[in-house]
Structures are given as structure tokens and as C-alpha cells.
Amino acid sequence: MKPVKFSTFLFTMLVGLIFQLYPWSNTGVIIRPDFLLVIMIYWVLQAPYHCNIGWVWFAGLLVDLSTGSLLGQHALTFAITAFLGLIYQRRLVLFNRWQLYLYVIFLFGVQRGLILLLKLFAGGELPDWTYSLPVVSDLILWQFMIIWFGELTRPKKL
Amino acid sequence: MLKGIHQQLDPQESPAFFIQGPKPFSRLMFFCTLSLVMMAVDARFDYLSQVRQWFSTALHPLEVLASAPNEWGRNINTYFTSHNQLIQDNFKLKQQSLIDNAALQRLATVDAENAHLRTLLAGDAPIIPQATLGEVLHMGRDPFSNIITLNRGSRHHITPGQAVVDEQGVVGQITRVYTFTSEVTLITDKKLSIPIQIERNQLRAIAFGEGKRNTLDIPYLPTSVDIKVGDKLVTSGIDGVYPAGLAVAVVTQIKQSQDSPFAKIISRPIAGVNNHKHVLILKVPESPAINPSSENKPVLPRNNAQHLDQSVVEVLQKNNAAVDPHPATETPVLDSPSTEPGAAAATPGAAPAPENTTAPAAPEHP
């Protein structure tokens, strides 16, 4: 984990927001990853000195505004996910690659589950199985984040 | 006894290496409370709509930036459209225009006649809307709701509640307006209902969206109701939002079960609810106040046909059969030109045929 500049963090957040605002078409909406979520969770785990729960919450608020959903919904789930991520943040170096993937899948799954719960409370209907597809695309985006900004786990040979 | 060095440390003093401001848990509690409060305020009150407006206006440049690649792709596609394709399209459009023009000529006559008859019967002039052309920017980003975003907003005098149609029928209703864009809730959304009429027998009902299945449901109709598969549903116009006679849906399935007194009627929207690029946003003018008691007051010869937008004509002409619900029965009234418009309706005895006594009452209760 090499230290990053604050400006890098802000720049990735902006890029994530632009991708979030991209006009996705029919199938795109189904498989589109949660750009801001992946980017923010990555920074929470990689650089907690830049990105705290407040920033993640703010990113969630931006998602709320861009989707036009109830203000605070995504913000709440983003904050909870970031907190769950932070619990194990200092132990991540002990994880191997696959444990980290599992952990990240768990985090993304929790976020989608919480959103689903909130929507169901608001009178929404249960979506079909394709609702869980973005977790896969989230993981692909996560892999890109690792390639661009560095591994979270400790390299094997030290 | 077994006190180690770690137990002598004060738990409050964590090493400076780990200091991150407030503890994550307290941060989480703070932001959870904040978002819960925001959700409650957003759901119950109207305070945050202004905040939403500001943010959306601030995000507009980013939105333009984000949709730029799409725009380029479309432009390149347009550029490379073949010559042959253009000639074909042109030919097709010319033919369509010829057919439309012929139908339009008839419409003008029928419209004038309709206005005249309505004046004679002291009925209200049909409400004919003005329209704004809008372009679909994107399908909603939220998979839970059936919403599309248009490139017209409060800058273009769009207000919440306006009806949105395409060339085939009703698409939905404007539910949220930003400065440059607006959100349209589609008629298939769970939250939207639309007053309809069966075109065949003028039966009125209300259709509700069914959400992700992209269908409409007409609940609370008895199993004995006169609806067949293939019946066309049109707007009844009694809500003042949708002009009367716009095509909404076609009945695709009727389920009758023993344990329910109601039939389950499912219909499919006629408008390409999920696949169109351009739509019309209708502005319904204030309907004239209905006042049945003042029969002797001369009825204003309201004929909005002059303000008729060309594009609305195209929408309406396909459905003009439904605009005039009782065309044939009133013709005898036309034979007495000396009769005052108000008096004809006030005294049913003046009408020559006995079956006409029911006709003047018809337009009064919508």
C-alpha cells in the first residue's frame, strides 16, 4: 500500500461520478457496477487517512441525487458498508487475495441488500435475480482499481 | 498478577500512529442519523426539493460530459447513414405525410362540427393541449422505478403533472422537474394510475402500473364486466391531466378466478414506453369552470383549435374516433338554427326526437 495524494482520491471520485451519470441503456442498467461505491470502498481500505466514512456518505448522497431516489438512502447504505470495511481494515495485510475478494463481495452484497431492504420498506417490489449481477461487475471494477492503485494485501515474497 | 505492559496503558490513549479523528463507530452513528433524518424529511416534507434542484443544476455540466460519448456515437452513426437509406426514409415520410394530410382535412371539418355541436348543447369545448417536444436523455438509473429523464426542464416551462405522449399513445407523466431536465414516471410504474375508458363501450375505469412487468392492471372490475382481449383503452380525460381519447393500452389477458369477485385484467401499453427517442409533453389548458346551474348564460364559443399544435394533431387524429363520443344522435338539433345555444340545452322539449333528451345530459357529467 503506497501512500496516495489527496488529489488522486478526489480525481477518482470525480471520474466515478461521471461514470455514474453516464446514460446507461437497458442492459447497461442491469449490469452497471456501482462506480462510486467501489471507488470509495477501495479508498476507505487503502487510504483511510484521506477517505473516512464522511466522504463515503457524501458519495452516497451524490448517488441519491443522480438516481433521483429518496435523499439519504444510498448515503446510509454507503456509510454502513464503509464502517463494516473499516472493522477489518488494519488486518487486510494478513488476508490472501481470495479472502480479500470474499470480503469485498460481502461488502458489496451488504450494500445491495440494504438498498433492497430500504426499497421494500418504501413499498417497492422484489426484483428478480439480475439484481445481484452488479456485484460481479463491481468485482471487475475492483480488480481494475487494484491494478491502477496498488494491492491491499501484502505481497507474497517480502 | 499477570499484568502485562499493555494493561498499564490507558485505553483512551491510542498510539499517535493510529489516530484518525473521531472513532469510525461514532462517525457511523452520526451519518446514519443524518441520513435517516434526511430520508424522513425528503419523504414527508418538501424542504429538500430545492436542494435537489441546486445539486442537479450543479451536476448538469458533468452530466453533459458523461453523455458526450453517446452523443458522438450517434452523430457518427448519422453521418454514415447511407444515401439509399435516406432516399427510402424520405419516400416513406412523404407517403405518410400524404396520408396524414388527407386525414387532417377530415379532422378540421369534424373539429368545427364538433365545436358547433358542443356549443349548441352547452357542453364544454374539448380540451386541446399544447405540446413541447422533448428528447429522452436516459432511462432511469434506479432499477426499482420506471422513470425516464427528458431534456426539458423548468427552463422550458415544464411543470410537474404534465402528460407525456409519443406518436402512438400515452407514455407517462412528469413527476419531478429540474432546471434543464425533468423526470417522467411511465404509466407502467407502480405508483402511477391513469383514468381510462374502453374505446368499444365507453366503460370507465382506472388502470394501475404493474412495475417491472411493463404492463397495466385494471383492478376492481367485476368478473361479469364487458371487456374482451384486444379491447383498446383510451384516456377518459376526466382527471384534467390527460386529454381525452389518447391511446393507452390494449387488453392482453383476462383472468377470472373462483375465489375473487374481481377479474384480473392485464393490458400492454400501446406507446413504446421503453423505446423511443422523442416524446411530446402536453400542456393542458385550464378547463372552463363547469357550472350546470347557469343554463341561461351564453356559452363561450371556445374553440381551441386555432392553438392546435401541428404535432398534437398527429397524435389526436389517430384517436379522433374517441374524442367525439356521440356523433350521430345530435344531428337533428342542427336543423333548428334559430334556437339559442343555451335554450336548446335548457329545454329538452325543443329537441325534435325523443331519444335526444338523454343526449344533452351526457356532456355534463364527465
Side-chain angles (χ1 to χ4, degrees), chain B residues 100 104 107 128-134 165-169 246 278-283 305 307-319:
Chain B
D100 286 354
L104 217 56
L107 178 76
I128 290 158
Q130 292 174 298
T132 319
L133 190 70
V165 300
D166 72 352
E167 73 276 7
Q168 287 166 312
L246 295 177
H278 294 279
V279 291
L280 283 177
I281 307 159
L282 301 185
K283 185 169 202 134
H307 319 298
L308 202 60
D309 198 285
Q310 188 68 23
S311 40
V312 185
V313 177
E314 286 173 19
V315 176
L316 289 178
Q317 68 173 359
K318 292 184 176 160
N319 314 294

Coordinates of all heavy atoms in Angstrom, one line a residue, chain B residues 100 104 107 128-134 165-169 246 278-283 305 307-319:
Chain B
D100 N -51.5 11.4 -43.8 CA -51.8 12.3 -42.7 C -52.5 13.5 -43.1 O -53.5 13.9 -42.5 CB -50.5 12.7 -41.9 CG -49.9 11.5 -41.2 OD1 -50.6 10.5 -41.1 OD2 -48.8 11.7 -40.6
L104 N -56.1 14.8 -42.0 CA -56.1 16.1 -41.3 C -57.2 16.9 -41.8 O -57.9 17.7 -41.1 CB -54.8 16.8 -41.5 CG -54.3 17.5 -40.3 CD1 -54.2 16.6 -39.0 CD2 -52.9 18.1 -40.6
L107 N -60.3 16.0 -40.3 CA -60.3 16.3 -38.9 C -60.7 17.8 -38.7 O -61.5 18.1 -37.8 CB -58.8 16.2 -38.3 CG -58.7 16.6 -36.8 CD1 -59.3 15.6 -35.9 CD2 -57.3 16.9 -36.4
I128 N -58.0 21.0 -25.8 CA -56.9 20.6 -26.7 C -55.6 21.1 -26.3 O -55.5 22.3 -26.1 CB -57.3 21.1 -28.2 CG1 -58.5 20.2 -28.7 CG2 -56.1 20.9 -29.1 CD1 -59.2 20.9 -29.7
P129 N -54.7 20.3 -26.0 CA -53.4 20.7 -25.3 C -52.4 21.3 -26.3 O -52.5 21.1 -27.5 CB -52.9 19.4 -24.8 CG -53.4 18.4 -25.7 CD -54.7 18.8 -26.3
Q130 N -51.5 22.1 -25.7 CA -50.3 22.5 -26.5 C -49.2 21.6 -26.1 O -49.2 21.0 -25.0 CB -50.0 23.9 -26.1 CG -51.0 24.9 -26.5 CD -50.7 26.3 -26.0 OE1 -50.7 26.5 -24.8 NE2 -50.4 27.2 -26.9
A131 N -48.2 21.5 -26.9 CA -47.2 20.4 -26.7 C -45.8 21.0 -26.8 O -45.6 21.9 -27.6 CB -47.4 19.3 -27.6
T132 N -44.9 20.4 -26.1 CA -43.4 20.7 -26.2 C -42.8 19.4 -26.6 O -43.1 18.3 -26.1 CB -42.9 21.2 -24.9 OG1 -43.8 22.0 -24.3 CG2 -41.6 21.9 -25.1
L133 N -41.8 19.5 -27.6 CA -41.1 18.3 -27.9 C -40.0 18.0 -27.0 O -39.2 19.0 -26.7 CB -40.6 18.4 -29.4 CG -40.0 17.2 -30.0 CD1 -41.2 16.2 -30.3 CD2 -39.3 17.5 -31.3
G134 N -39.8 16.8 -26.5 CA -38.8 16.5 -25.6 C -38.0 15.3 -26.1 O -38.5 14.5 -26.8
V165 N -46.7 12.1 -24.1 CA -47.2 11.1 -25.1 C -46.1 10.9 -26.2 O -45.3 11.7 -26.4 CB -48.5 11.6 -25.7 CG1 -49.6 11.7 -24.7 CG2 -48.3 12.8 -26.5
D166 N -46.2 9.8 -26.9 CA -45.5 9.7 -28.1 C -46.5 9.6 -29.3 O -47.7 9.8 -29.1 CB -44.5 8.5 -28.1 CG -45.1 7.2 -28.1 OD1 -46.4 7.1 -28.1 OD2 -44.4 6.2 -28.2
E167 N -46.0 9.2 -30.5 CA -46.9 9.2 -31.6 C -48.0 8.2 -31.5 O -49.0 8.2 -32.3 CB -46.2 9.2 -32.9 CG -45.6 7.8 -33.3 CD -44.2 7.6 -32.6 OE1 -43.8 8.4 -31.8 OE2 -43.6 6.5 -32.9
Q168 N -47.9 7.2 -30.6 CA -48.9 6.1 -30.5 C -49.8 6.2 -29.3 O -50.9 5.8 -29.4 CB -48.1 4.8 -30.5 CG -47.6 4.4 -31.8 CD -46.6 3.3 -31.7 OE1 -45.7 3.3 -30.8 NE2 -46.7 2.3 -32.5
G169 N -49.3 6.8 -28.3 CA -50.2 6.9 -27.1 C -49.5 7.5 -25.9 O -48.4 8.1 -26.0
L246 N -56.7 9.7 -25.8 CA -55.3 9.2 -26.2 C -55.2 7.7 -25.9 O -55.7 7.2 -24.9 CB -54.2 9.9 -25.4 CG -54.1 11.4 -25.6 CD1 -53.1 12.0 -24.6 CD2 -53.7 11.7 -27.0
H278 N -38.0 10.5 -29.0 CA -38.7 11.8 -28.9 C -40.1 11.6 -28.3 O -40.8 10.7 -28.7 CB -38.8 12.5 -30.2 CG -37.4 12.9 -30.7 ND1 -36.8 14.0 -30.3 CD2 -36.6 12.3 -31.6 CE1 -35.6 14.1 -30.9 NE2 -35.4 13.0 -31.7
V279 N -40.5 12.5 -27.4 CA -41.8 12.4 -26.9 C -42.4 13.8 -26.9 O -41.7 14.8 -27.0 CB -41.8 11.9 -25.5 CG1 -41.5 10.4 -25.4 CG2 -40.9 12.6 -24.6
L280 N -43.7 13.9 -26.7 CA -44.4 15.2 -26.6 C -44.8 15.4 -25.2 O -45.4 14.5 -24.6 CB -45.6 15.3 -27.5 CG -45.4 15.4 -29.0 CD1 -46.7 15.4 -29.7 CD2 -44.7 16.8 -29.2
I281 N -44.6 16.6 -24.6 CA -45.0 17.0 -23.3 C -46.2 17.9 -23.5 O -46.1 19.0 -24.0 CB -43.9 17.7 -22.5 CG1 -42.7 16.8 -22.5 CG2 -44.4 17.9 -21.1 CD1 -41.4 17.7 -22.2
L282 N -47.4 17.4 -23.0 CA -48.6 18.1 -23.3 C -48.9 19.1 -22.2 O -48.7 18.8 -21.0 CB -49.8 17.2 -23.4 CG -49.7 16.1 -24.5 CD1 -51.0 15.4 -24.6 CD2 -49.5 16.8 -25.8
K283 N -49.4 20.3 -22.5 CA -49.8 21.3 -21.5 C -51.3 21.4 -21.7 O -51.8 21.9 -22.7 CB -49.1 22.6 -21.8 CG -49.4 23.6 -20.7 CD -48.5 24.8 -20.8 CE -48.4 25.5 -19.5 NZ -47.1 25.9 -19.1
A305 N -59.1 25.1 -31.3 CA -58.5 24.5 -32.5 C -57.5 25.4 -33.1 O -56.5 25.0 -33.8 CB -59.5 24.2 -33.5
H307 N -55.2 27.2 -31.6 CA -53.9 27.0 -31.0 C -53.4 25.6 -31.2 O -52.4 25.2 -30.6 CB -54.0 27.3 -29.5 CG -54.9 28.4 -29.2 ND1 -54.6 29.7 -29.6 CD2 -56.1 28.5 -28.5 CE1 -55.5 30.5 -29.1 NE2 -56.4 29.8 -28.5
L308 N -54.0 24.8 -32.0 CA -53.7 23.4 -32.1 C -52.3 23.3 -32.6 O -51.9 23.8 -33.7 CB -54.7 22.8 -33.1 CG -54.8 21.3 -32.9 CD1 -55.3 20.9 -31.6 CD2 -55.8 20.8 -34.0
D309 N -51.5 22.6 -31.9 CA -50.1 22.3 -32.3 C -50.2 21.3 -33.4 O -50.9 20.3 -33.3 CB -49.3 21.9 -31.1 CG -47.8 22.0 -31.4 OD1 -47.3 21.2 -32.1 OD2 -47.2 22.9 -30.9
Q310 N -49.3 21.5 -34.4 CA -49.3 20.5 -35.5 C -49.1 19.1 -35.0 O -49.7 18.2 -35.5 CB -48.2 21.0 -36.5 CG -48.2 20.2 -37.8 CD -49.5 20.4 -38.6 OE1 -50.1 21.5 -38.5 NE2 -49.9 19.5 -39.5
S311 N -48.2 19.0 -34.1 CA -47.8 17.7 -33.6 C -48.9 17.0 -32.8 O -49.0 15.8 -32.9 CB -46.5 17.7 -32.8 OG -46.6 18.9 -32.0
V312 N -49.7 17.8 -32.2 CA -50.7 17.2 -31.4 C -51.8 16.6 -32.3 O -52.4 15.6 -32.0 CB -51.3 18.2 -30.4 CG1 -52.4 17.6 -29.6 CG2 -50.3 18.9 -29.6
V313 N -52.0 17.3 -33.4 CA -53.0 16.8 -34.4 C -52.6 15.4 -34.8 O -53.5 14.6 -34.8 CB -52.9 17.8 -35.7 CG1 -53.9 17.2 -36.7 CG2 -53.3 19.2 -35.3
E314 N -51.4 15.2 -35.0 CA -51.0 13.8 -35.4 C -51.3 12.8 -34.3 O -51.7 11.7 -34.6 CB -49.5 13.8 -35.7 CG -49.1 14.5 -36.9 CD -47.6 14.6 -37.1 OE1 -46.9 13.8 -36.5 OE2 -47.2 15.4 -37.9
V315 N -51.1 13.2 -33.1 CA -51.4 12.3 -32.0 C -52.9 12.1 -31.9 O -53.4 11.0 -31.8 CB -50.9 12.9 -30.7 CG1 -51.3 12.0 -29.5 CG2 -49.4 13.0 -30.7
L316 N -53.7 13.2 -32.1 CA -55.1 13.1 -31.9 C -55.8 12.5 -33.0 O -56.8 11.8 -32.8 CB -55.7 14.5 -31.6 CG -55.3 15.2 -30.3 CD1 -55.9 16.6 -30.2 CD2 -55.9 14.3 -29.2
Q317 N -55.3 12.6 -34.2 CA -56.1 12.2 -35.4 C -56.2 10.7 -35.4 O -57.2 10.1 -35.9 CB -55.4 12.6 -36.7 CG -54.1 11.9 -36.9 CD -53.5 12.3 -38.3 OE1 -54.2 13.0 -39.0 NE2 -52.4 11.8 -38.6
K318 N -55.3 10.0 -34.8 CA -55.4 8.5 -34.7 C -56.5 8.1 -33.8 O -56.9 7.0 -33.8 CB -54.0 7.9 -34.3 CG -53.0 8.1 -35.4 CD -51.7 7.5 -35.1 CE -50.8 7.6 -36.2 NZ -49.4 7.5 -35.9
N319 N -56.8 9.0 -32.9 CA -57.8 8.6 -31.9 C -59.0 9.5 -32.0 O -59.8 9.5 -31.0 CB -57.1 8.8 -30.5 CG -55.7 8.2 -30.4 OD1 -55.6 7.1 -30.6 ND2 -54.8 9.1 -30.3

